[in-house]
Amino acid sequence: MSHPASAAVNTRTAKADASAPVTGRRERKKQATRAALRQAALRLSVRHGVENVTVEQIAEEADIALRTFFNYFSSKEEAVMASTAAAAEALVTEFRNRPRTESVLRAFREAVLVIMDRSDTLSRDHIEALRLIRKAPSLVPRQMAVLAAQEKALAEAIAERVGLHRDPPAAPPASDRVDGRVDGRAAGSVYPAVCAAALLAALRVVTDQWLEPAAGPDRTPPTDVLGQRFDMAIAEFGAGLDRPGTANG
């Protein structure tokens, strides 16, 4: 029996697929080539370790000419992380599409579960790449580049959701201060950037904890566990992060 949440996700995904524009043969071929290289890079890296895999091996594994590889990726690390980059973009898109009646934290939480609960190849590769990052330090710079782009896009989406202007003033005017603090709704507020950074940091921590118990590459913990962990993070945000220190002794 399918889980109600999974059924809802499948329905939403099906609607999105039905409304997606039909691509031409040339574009489909390019997408297939990119996917083949991405999957080959990830497959070989899981099997042998990123440091032991070459671009030449990836191209051969995908049955694609070496020169073609560089039409799609600048390095093996970029190819391995391609699924994560795609998932990062999809998360921001899903966040934008959430009902405007949802708060920022709730909309982000629901967007995370939709993306992580998908059962397509790209989503599985994304989770596999997340596991690989944990034991492949060479992937961290590429991961940071992906996260930086995602953080910027999410901040823009948050600003749109809460009705902030994009161009900040040099300094917040006095009218934007409430009890000595800057009103988060005011133009020029740092709220979108700070909120995006905090949410993505929380997501990294929660996802890392979520994947920790997995005993093998084919075992992914239930998505509802991820939801529970992220609910705890949201509760911390809601309660406020500033706490009094405790006296020693």
Side-chain angles (χ1 to χ4, degrees):
M1 180 179 296
S2 61
H3 193 280
S6 298
V9 169
N10 292 336
T11 300
R12 189 180 296 109
T13 302
K15 290 181 178 178
D17 291 343
S19 61
V22 178
T23 57
R25 179 180 301 177
R26 181 183 179 86
E27 183 60 29
R28 291 198 301 271
K29 185 176 180 180
K30 289 173 62 177
Q31 292 176 358
T33 299
R34 183 179 180 85
L37 288 168
R38 168 179 57 78
Q39 292 167 4
L42 185 58
R43 186 165 57 248
L44 289 174
S45 297
V46 170
R47 188 184 306 160
H48 304 295
V50 177
E51 66 282 359
N52 298 319
V53 175
T54 66
V55 171
E56 289 81 3
Q57 290 172 327
I58 294 172
E60 182 178 357
E61 176 80 5
D63 195 23
I64 292 170
L66 177 59
R67 65 179 180 276
T68 302
F69 175 93
F70 292 103
N71 291 334
Y72 293 87
F73 302 109
S74 62
S75 65
K76 64 181 180 182
E77 288 81 8
E78 184 181 0
V80 171
M81 293 294 294
S83 58
T84 297
E89 293 178 1
L91 175 57
V92 176
T93 298
E94 184 63 33
F95 174 82
R96 288 182 184 275
N97 292 337
R98 295 299 307 173
R100 288 304 177 97
T101 53
E102 293 180 349
S103 69
V104 170
L105 298 184
R106 178 55 52 181
F108 187 78
R109 187 255 191 200
E110 296 302 323
V112 167
L113 294 188
V114 167
I115 298 302
M116 298 301 285
D117 202 36
R118 288 175 178 168
S119 59
D120 55 21
T121 301
L122 185 62
S123 295
R124 292 195 298 270
D125 287 350
H126 168 52
I127 294 174
E128 196 63 60
L130 290 178
R131 287 197 180 97
L132 191 59
I133 292 168
R134 294 157 61 91
K135 52 185 179 182
S138 63
L139 293 176
V140 173
R142 185 61 199 170
Q143 181 192 28
M144 292 297 101
V146 170
L147 290 173
Q150 184 185 31
E151 185 178 307
K152 180 180 179 181
L154 180 60
E156 292 176 354
I158 290 173
E160 292 174 6
R161 178 170 288 268
V162 299
L164 290 175
H165 299 293
R166 299 185 62 181
D167 298 326
S175 59
D176 290 340
R177 295 184 175 275
V178 179
D179 296 330
R181 296 174 299 171
V182 177
D183 186 351
R185 296 169 296 178
S189 170
V190 298
Y191 169 77
V194 171
C195 186
L199 284 173
L200 292 177
L203 179 60
R204 292 196 296 274
V205 171
V206 168
T207 302
D208 192 61
Q209 294 176 347
W210 177 58
L211 292 175
E212 184 68 37
D218 296 327
R219 290 193 59 189
T220 300
T223 309
D224 59 351
V225 174
L226 177 64
Q228 292 168 7
R229 289 184 178 276
F230 203 71
D231 282 342
M232 294 173 62
I234 289 178
E236 295 287 0
F237 286 139
L241 299 182
D242 192 21
R243 299 179 182 180
T246 57
N248 293 332

